[in-house]
Amino acid sequence: MKFTLSWLKEHLDTTAEVEQVAAAMTMAGLEVEEVQDPIAALAPFTVAKIVSTERHPNADRLQVCQVDTVDGRKEIVCGAPNARAGLTTIYAPIGAYVPGLGVTLVEKPVRGVVSHGMLCSGAELELADDSDGILELSDDLQVGQPAAGVFGAEPVIDFEVTPNRPDWLGVAGIARDLAATGLGRLTTPEITPVAGGFASPISVRIDNADLCPVFAGRVIRGVQNGPSPDWLQHRLTAVGLRSINRLVDITNLISYDRARPLHVYDLAKLSGHQIVVRGGLVAKDTGEHEHLIALDGKTYAVSPADCVIADADGERPIGLGGVMGGESTGCSDETVDVFVESAWFDPLAIAQTGRSLGISSDAQYRFARGVDTASVVPGLELATQLILDLCGGEPSEITVAGQAPAAPEGFAFDPAYVKRLSGLSLTDDRIFEILTALGFTVMRGSPWTVVPPSWRRDVEGPADLVEEVARIEGFHALPHTPLPKVTRAPGGVLNPRQARVRTARRALAALGYAEAVTWSFTKQSTAVLFGGGDERLVLENPIAADLDCMRPSILPNLIQAAARNAARGHADAALFEIGPIYLNDQPTGQRTAIAGLVAPHPDRHWGGAGEDALFDLKADLFALLEEIGAPVASLQLAQGFNQDWWHPGRSARLQLGPKNVIVEFGALHPRVLKALDADAPMLAFEIILDAVPEPRGKSGKARGAADLPNLMPLSRDFAFLLDEAKAVGDLTRAVAGADKALIAEVRVFDVYRGQGVPEGQKSVALEVEIQPRAATLTEAEIEALTAKIVAAAAKASAVLRS
């Protein structure tokens, strides 16, 4: 919301300058974003007069002008087609910054002739000027007169309006609050009713009172439309609005002045003698929504939830109520008779219409926040008077359909509550003064009864009144009372789940994974690819069309993140995310998952990319499981499960029994990657953290001292024959369990198939690391341990290869 200082002073009798106004607004809770000072920007520019012109000797389209300026007579090169002797215009000296060009003038030759300054157009000064040449000003202006005074430039205050204060969307509402702070005296002119000279030939019918409870209007005959007077154009352009014509400018002025949107229809373009307010229509046979061409030239398909203004007995849509008028009934310079509309539309309906149709007009912005319910007829009267003053004409009587929502109800208020809630020590008279200055009706008693004004429907209870008193008195007046010291509770603040999440995050970062933070939503069609997409998990009001379903897995979001990185030249990615997922069998709940994804696309090298990326991922996964305390030794590896997003031959799951799946991992299916516009290969894992049991007997106990061996380890290599269908992991677990006290680690370093190995079998080479504890092992002890290893392997159906 923007307004000028002079505009404010039409409602507020004050001597305050713009800096004082901005400071008072800030202390009263109005968030000032910027004070724009065009006077400072125009300071270097002054009025000048061209004395003579002659063609540039080296350029046909340039002229060399002799110009009388504040700095004396100057020779200036100008390319404007309207530059001529006797023209009064604006001069920029050397060293001036020209905002429209973004350059600072320097003295340099133009085609061989030095220009000692510049003659300016409106665009170069960032003024509203449509001409192609330099500015043409009145000959009455004196040479050297500041440009700021010529154009009536003045400071503009820009501030952010909170959603609960629609009354601040009018200058009168801002002046009311500033008057309450003591900055000045409220002088907003009273609205005088204008008597109608004849009955309105246009009647109004409301078919949907939920969308529009009240609608008022009147006809004004014999108006003369056209360009607005200078004062009105300057007022609108100063706050960023484009002047269109008198009728439209009047409605824009009242919208910004009194926070009361209006609309004017060309009476000659209306069909029939009745305006109907209804919802959008849908054809019963085809289901097609009716369409409206709005004033912005765009065509909109309206639904029954949208408020439609229609003529021709309700058949033809001519506007979106509270949002935008229709192109078919817009006013032009040829308009003679008009119908002026002033209505009140349901804020929620208008907000939804703006969102669903993608329209954000000044009217929609105000109606969506709640226009004053008592301003329907007064706003129409004010518009009538301005139209008569600027356009002439004869008004009809006002026609009103429906009834405005009831005024806010009063409630009990104890003035002592101000002290209890805010700490401010104010007298009852001061509290009464503040509330009445803000428009509240206060009836003293025990307790008081306070009735909010019609423009303050956000005030619903005593706490709201305390806030009003506190902000008007000034937040700087609030007492400074330090909070009492609170003894810090002993122990940690993280529960076991949170501690595991933190441990996992640190572990994955240490492994080289970058954390991604993505939405908990995805596209429904994408969710279907990962076993989700149940209708119960589809959002009714998604933040975006492609985020309409709760995600059944973190993987699709990571895949898309990796694809976006690849599209920007960073194909080799390692990402992880920890967050919620939502499964079809748990529509009211969620699970926490830890997902990691690797897109192995290293730089091209003669040695090749390698084929061990999947085993690297598996190693990272097991390292992570160890860190979060999962029972890794008890996990069972299973393959061949039916999950369509995993590669059937290069994926597996780890589980504690068939019903408790801890993690799925492997290569992602190329078909799924193609559907998400991602390039293969991509490898991933996803841990269901809820399914990982907590370690037993460790809660509340401190970690013991490190048990570091003081003897050198030794290793022995074994080669076992194993059936092709047998998992190597089962063999390594069996060997590791042969003697848990001595065997530190078992590693697979070779798998061989070929000559010397029977058909249907494979040779698995293991390196067993042995860590002595008490003393160096003798040869006999090593032989005994070897026998245990061979026996344990035999139980896993493996035979020592001879």
Side-chain angles (χ1 to χ4, degrees):
M1 173 68 185
K2 295 181 180 180
F3 64 93
T4 61
L5 186 60
S6 64
W7 195 343
L8 175 69
K9 289 185 176 181
E10 289 193 359
H11 296 272
L12 186 69
D13 184 8
T14 180
T15 58
E17 295 301 326
V18 65
E19 294 80 8
Q20 296 170 286
V21 171
M25 290 174 63
T26 300
M27 295 311 300
L30 289 85
E31 184 181 345
V32 176
E33 292 194 335
E34 183 183 10
V35 177
Q36 303 168 357
D37 190 2
I39 297 177
L42 293 175
F45 304 93
T46 54
V47 174
K49 187 179 292 288
I50 300 177
V51 178
S52 64
T53 64
E54 61 181 21
R55 188 180 300 278
H56 192 290
N58 302 317
D60 294 338
R61 296 186 178 182
L62 297 179
Q63 298 186 76
V64 179
C65 306
Q66 303 299 321
V67 184
D68 283 343
T69 72
V70 69
D71 301 322
R73 184 159 294 184
K74 298 285 185 180
E75 186 172 75
I76 299 175
V77 178
C78 180
N82 62 332
R84 62 186 183 274
L87 177 66
T88 302
T89 186
I90 294 296
Y91 156 71
I94 298 299
Y97 175 77
V98 184
L101 299 177
V103 299
T104 299
L105 297 182
V106 295
E107 192 172 286
K108 64 178 183 179
V110 180
R111 293 288 184 95
V113 177
V114 176
S115 183
H116 301 278
M118 178 179 179
L119 302 180
C120 302
S121 68
E124 288 159 349
L125 298 182
E126 294 187 334
L127 302 174
D129 185 81
D130 296 331
S131 66
D132 295 330
I134 58 178
L135 287 163
E136 298 191 23
L137 305 178
S138 171
D139 293 336
D140 298 335
L141 297 175
Q142 298 297 315
V143 171
Q145 187 172 339
V150 173
F151 301 116
E154 59 177 321
V156 176
I157 296 177
D158 185 3
F159 75 101
E160 184 68 26
V161 179
T162 56
N164 67 315
R165 292 304 303 270
D167 56 308
W168 283 347
L169 290 168
V171 180
I174 303 166
R176 184 188 303 111
D177 276 24
L178 291 177
T181 66
L183 191 68
R185 182 175 60 87
L186 188 65
T187 58
T188 298
E190 292 291 334
I191 298 175
T192 304
V194 178
F198 57 94
S200 173
I202 301 294
S203 63
V204 178
R205 186 181 85 226
I206 298 176
D207 288 350
N208 193 329
D210 291 336
L211 298 176
C212 177
V214 59
F215 188 107
R218 80 187 322 166
V219 170
I220 303 179
R221 299 187 302 207
V223 301
Q224 291 184 347
N225 201 11
S228 295
D230 290 343
W231 70 266
L232 180 52
Q233 291 190 40
H234 289 159
R235 177 154 296 178
L236 296 179
T237 55
V239 297
L241 296 178
R242 182 172 60 91
S243 176
I244 299 175
N245 56 52
R246 294 175 199 167
L247 291 171
V248 176
D249 290 355
I250 286 171
T251 62
N252 287 334
L253 176 70
I254 296 174
S255 182
Y256 273 72
D257 189 71
R258 302 296 178 98
R260 163 34 68 183
L262 303 159
H263 187 66
V264 182
Y265 301 89
D266 190 328
L267 188 64
K269 298 177 182 178
L270 291 177
S271 178
H273 301 285
Q274 187 178 59
I275 283 181
V276 179
V277 185
R278 57 171 174 78
L281 301 179
V282 178
K284 294 182 179 180
D285 52 346
T286 64
E288 183 179 356
H289 291 214
E290 68 176 333
H291 291 75
L292 168 74
I293 302 176
L295 285 172
D296 60 1
K298 298 179 180 179
T299 301
Y300 298 97
V302 294
S303 71
D306 302 321
C307 185
V308 172
I309 312 299
D311 64 357
D313 198 25
E315 292 296 324
R316 183 182 70 150
I318 58 173
L320 283 169
V323 179
M324 188 176 290
E327 188 178 67
S328 61
T329 56
C331 294
S332 65
D333 289 351
E334 290 73 34
T335 298
V336 177
D337 302 327
V338 297
F339 180 78
V340 186
E341 165 203 307
S342 180
W344 192 88
F345 300 96
D346 178 70
L348 292 178
I350 299 304
Q352 184 59 41
T353 295
R355 181 170 183 173
S356 61
L357 298 181
I359 304 177
S360 181
S361 63
D362 282 339
Q364 188 270 343
Y365 186 81
R366 285 162 171 77
F367 277 119
R369 282 155 179 76
V371 173
D372 181 6
T373 55
S375 69
V376 174
V377 172
L380 185 57
E381 297 282 17
L382 180 59
T384 301
Q385 188 60 61
L386 282 172
I387 291 174
L388 296 181
D389 292 344
L390 299 182
C391 306
E394 179 186 7
S396 74
E397 297 172 353
I398 293 177
T399 179
V400 180
Q403 187 173 2
E409 296 183 356
F411 52 84
F413 177 67
D414 183 358
Y417 194 50
V418 173
K419 170 70 174 177
R420 293 200 303 270
L421 195 60
S422 70
L424 290 170
S425 298
L426 302 178
T427 64
D428 289 2
D429 289 342
R430 177 57 179 156
I431 297 172
F432 179 86
E433 177 187 358
I434 291 174
L435 293 178
T436 53
L438 292 173
F440 293 88
T441 301
V442 182
M443 291 165 280
R444 293 194 177 192
S446 184
W448 293 3
T449 299
V450 180
V451 181
S454 57
W455 60 83
R456 289 303 306 276
R457 292 182 174 271
D458 60 302
V459 176
E460 299 177 344
D464 297 325
L465 295 180
V466 174
E467 181 184 358
E468 294 300 300
V469 172
R471 71 179 184 85
I472 296 301
E473 185 65 19
F475 292 127
H476 62 282
L478 293 173
H480 300 277
T481 304
L483 293 173
K485 292 185 177 180
V486 179
T487 304
R488 186 173 180 179
V493 295
L494 299 180
N495 61 35
R497 173 78 58 79
Q498 293 169 330
R500 276 186 161 181
V501 167
R502 184 172 66 174
T503 300
R505 182 174 285 113
R506 291 177 175 176
L508 285 166
L511 289 169
Y513 289 73
E515 184 172 11
V517 180
T518 67
W519 296 104
S520 293
F521 324 114
T522 188
K523 197 173 183 179
Q524 187 180 13
S525 58
T526 301
V528 171
L529 294 174
F530 288 81
D534 190 283
E535 289 296 330
R536 295 171 295 177
L537 298 177
V538 175
L539 304 178
E540 292 184 359
N541 191 20
I543 60 175
D546 56 351
L547 296 173
D548 61 347
C549 184
M550 305 306 292
R551 65 183 182 187
S553 169
I554 300 177
L555 295 179
N557 291 9
L558 290 183
I559 293 170
Q560 291 170 325
R564 286 192 294 270
N565 277 275
R568 288 159 178 79
H570 302 283
D572 193 30
L575 306 174
F576 80 92
E577 181 178 358
I578 304 175
I581 60 173
Y582 306 85
L583 306 180
N584 288 347
D585 59 348
Q586 291 185 330
T588 60
Q590 64 184 46
R591 293 186 179 182
T592 301
I594 305 173
L597 180 139
V598 176
H601 294 84
D603 294 335
R604 296 168 65 186
H605 189 268
W606 65 270
E611 296 295 332
D612 55 355
L614 181 56
F615 294 101
D616 289 341
L617 177 85
K618 181 181 176 183
D620 292 344
L621 172 60
F622 274 84
L624 174 61
L625 292 172
E626 290 278 5
E627 285 291 330
I628 65 175
V632 176
S634 303
L635 294 179
Q636 303 167 358
L637 187 141
Q639 290 182 278
F641 55 93
N642 186 23
Q643 300 288 26
D644 293 340
W645 57 94
W646 295 111
H647 193 295
R650 304 190 66 205
S651 59
R653 63 170 42 157
L654 299 174
Q655 58 191 30
L656 289 172
K659 294 185 178 181
N660 188 14
V661 178
I662 303 295
V663 58
E664 294 177 353
F665 70 97
L668 291 162
H669 201 292
R671 174 182 54 82
V672 173
L673 296 178
K674 183 178 180 180
L676 298 180
D677 198 21
D679 293 332
M682 285 191 182
L683 316 171
F685 63 80
E686 188 164 42
I687 303 171
I688 306 300
L689 191 58
D690 308 66
V692 180
E694 296 181 11
R696 296 180 181 178
K698 291 187 178 182
S699 59
K701 292 185 179 181
R703 180 179 294 179
D707 182 16
L708 300 177
N710 56 2
L711 297 174
M712 289 290 293
L714 66 149
S715 65
R716 288 292 185 269
D717 295 345
F718 298 85
F720 293 100
L721 292 176
L722 188 67
D723 288 344
E724 190 68 56
K726 296 289 185 178
V728 175
D730 295 339
L731 173 61
T732 58
R733 279 194 296 271
V735 171
D739 192 324
K740 294 182 179 180
L742 290 175
I743 297 176
E745 190 174 359
V746 178
R747 290 182 289 268
V748 178
F749 67 87
D750 184 45
V751 177
Y752 171 73
R753 302 172 182 84
Q755 186 176 0
V757 176
E759 186 73 22
Q761 290 188 324
K762 56 191 172 185
S763 173
V764 180
L766 304 179
E767 180 187 9
V768 180
E769 183 177 314
I770 304 169
Q771 178 61 64
R773 293 287 178 174
T776 302
L777 296 179
T778 65
E779 194 66 32
E781 289 172 329
I782 295 175
E783 290 297 331
L785 179 59
T786 300
K788 287 184 179 181
I789 291 174
V790 173
K795 292 181 179 180
S797 303
V799 179
L800 188 66
R801 183 180 175 188
S802 57

